[in-house]
């Protein structure tokens, strides 16, 4: 068994008379501390997988085992606790609170978990020690994304789930963000899962899970992932 095991997971949406299978028997595993990339075109079912892994949605069938616990059978209350305590989220468009500074955004983590990391230290670790008192609008896209990562890491999550984290950034800035995600996995043992349609991100990953048309088409393990440079 792996640290994360998604086993024969199904998610369907009813659209009037038709049923859309967003996930049609998805199976894959991810080991602790890995960087895993879930790669596939738009509409493949990636976000559905991420939402289920993050406890934002539940599946219709299958098992979703995180660190030995099957969250597929969790009720809404248990899912909320899981989502708040165990999962950090990084989105394409940052999702920072605009009227709070970088530091205050990261400090929000301490309202969610009792053992949140010190905001100054986490912001330092993502290279933003000198911009802590800036508001999001005063920061570049890449800097805002670093604040988002810091806020997620302050919770010391088991899983860091990233939805197109470089999608709104230019190539060089995107690389800096990927470098931080890579460092996070390597140095803290946090399991990082990135969903993307951008195959250029695959070489850095320990594991590449290709999804297309609601199914896993291949899983590739990189024994020697290419460090982000
Ligand atoms: P991806 O993230 O790879 O773009 P999604 O997981 O968002 O793919 O979507 C997979 C499929 O499920 C698509 O056909 C999409 O239209 C459908 N879908 C996703 N969410 C919903 C929803 N809430 N209601 C109906 N259909 C949905
Ligand atoms: P385009 O001009 O089509 O946007 P780019 O080559 O500029 O293509 O980059 C595409 C995406 O790849 C960007 O969002 C960038 O963030 C991302 N990217 C960043 N770093 C890497 C990397 N090390 N390997 C692959 N892709 C990366």
């Amino acid at each position: 068994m792996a640290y994360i095991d998604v086993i024969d997971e199904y998610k369907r949406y009813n659209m009037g008379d038709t049923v859309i299978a967003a996930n049609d028997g998805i199976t894959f595993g991810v080991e602790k501390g890995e960087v895993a990339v879930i790669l596939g075109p738009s509409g493949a079912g990636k976000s559905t997988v991420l939402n289920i892994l993050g406890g934002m949605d539940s599946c219709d069938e299958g098992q979703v085992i995180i660190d030995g616990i099957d969250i597929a059978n969790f009720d809404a209350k248990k899912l909320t606790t899981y989502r708040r305590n165990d999962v950090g989220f990084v989105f394409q468009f940052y999702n920072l609170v605009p009227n709070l500074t970088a530091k205050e955004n990261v400090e929000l983590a301490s309202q969610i978990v009792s053992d949140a990391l010190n905001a100054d230290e986490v912001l330092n670790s993502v290279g933003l020690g000198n911009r802590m008192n800036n508001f999001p609008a005063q920061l570049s896209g890449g800097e805002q994304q670093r604040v988002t990562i810091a806020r997620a890491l302050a919770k010391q999550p088991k899983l860091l789930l990233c939805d197109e984290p470089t999608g709104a950034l230019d190539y060089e800035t995107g690389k800096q963000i990927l470098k931080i995600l890579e460092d996070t996995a390597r140095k803290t043992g946090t399991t990082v899962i990135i969903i993307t349609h951008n195959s250029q991100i695959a070489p850095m990953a320990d594991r590449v899970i290709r999804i297309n048309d609601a199914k896993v088409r291949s899983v590739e393990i990189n024994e020697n992932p290419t460090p982000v440079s």
Side-chain angles (χ1 to χ4, degrees), residues 166-175 178 198 200-203 228-229:
T166 65
L169 302 172
D170 63 62
Y171 184 79
E172 281 306 321
T173 311
K175 278 216 285 205
L178 294 176
N198 180 2
Q200 290 180 307
I201 292 175
V228 180
S229 61

Side-chain angles (χ1 to χ4, degrees), residues 140-163:
S140 69
E143 287 163 345
Q144 290 182 58
Q145 194 61 302
R146 286 195 248 173
V147 178
T148 309
I149 295 171
R151 186 177 62 187
L153 292 181
K155 291 202 301 182
Q156 299 188 266
K158 287 181 176 175
L159 292 188
L160 186 62
L161 299 180
C162 312
D163 185 350

Side-chain angles (χ1 to χ4, degrees), residues 96 100-108 117-136 139 142-155 180:
L96 296 170
L100 299 181
T101 64
K103 181 171 170 169
E104 288 165 344
N105 266 281
V106 176
E107 284 170 344
L108 289 175
L117 298 175
N118 177 277
D120 292 32
E121 282 172 27
V122 202
L123 280 163
N124 270 320
S125 77
V126 298
L128 272 190
N130 57 343
R131 308 300 299 271
M132 286 194 280
N133 297 318
N134 286 122
F135 291 94
L139 300 172
E143 287 163 345
Q144 290 182 58
Q145 194 61 302
R146 286 195 248 173
V147 178
T148 309
I149 295 171
R151 186 177 62 187
L153 292 181
K155 291 202 301 182
I180 291 170

Side-chain angles (χ1 to χ4, degrees), residues 6 18 47 51 58 61 74 76 85 102 104 123 144-145 157 179 195 199 205:
V6 177
T18 52
S47 303
N51 289 342
S58 51
E61 285 177 55
F74 275 12
N85 292 327
E104 288 165 344
L123 280 163
Q144 290 182 58
Q145 194 61 302
K179 178 88 193 136
I195 66 169
S199 58

Side-chain angles (χ1 to χ4, degrees), residues 36-42 44 46 92 162-175 178 194-205 207-211:
V37 165
I38 299 179
L39 187 65
S42 178
K46 306 181 298 294
Q92 182 172 358
C162 312
D163 185 350
E164 299 282 4
T166 65
L169 302 172
D170 63 62
Y171 184 79
E172 281 306 321
T173 311
K175 278 216 285 205
L178 294 176
I194 301 171
I195 66 169
T196 184
H197 66 272
N198 180 2
S199 58
Q200 290 180 307
I201 292 175
M204 71 168 287
R207 193 179 296 258
V208 181
I209 299 148
R210 286 192 166 74
I211 297 188

Side-chain angles (χ1 to χ4, degrees), residues 31-54:
E31 297 294 346
K32 182 168 165 53
E34 281 187 349
V35 176
V37 165
I38 299 179
L39 187 65
S42 178
K46 306 181 298 294
S47 303
T48 302
V49 172
L50 202 81
N51 289 342
I52 289 168
L53 282 174

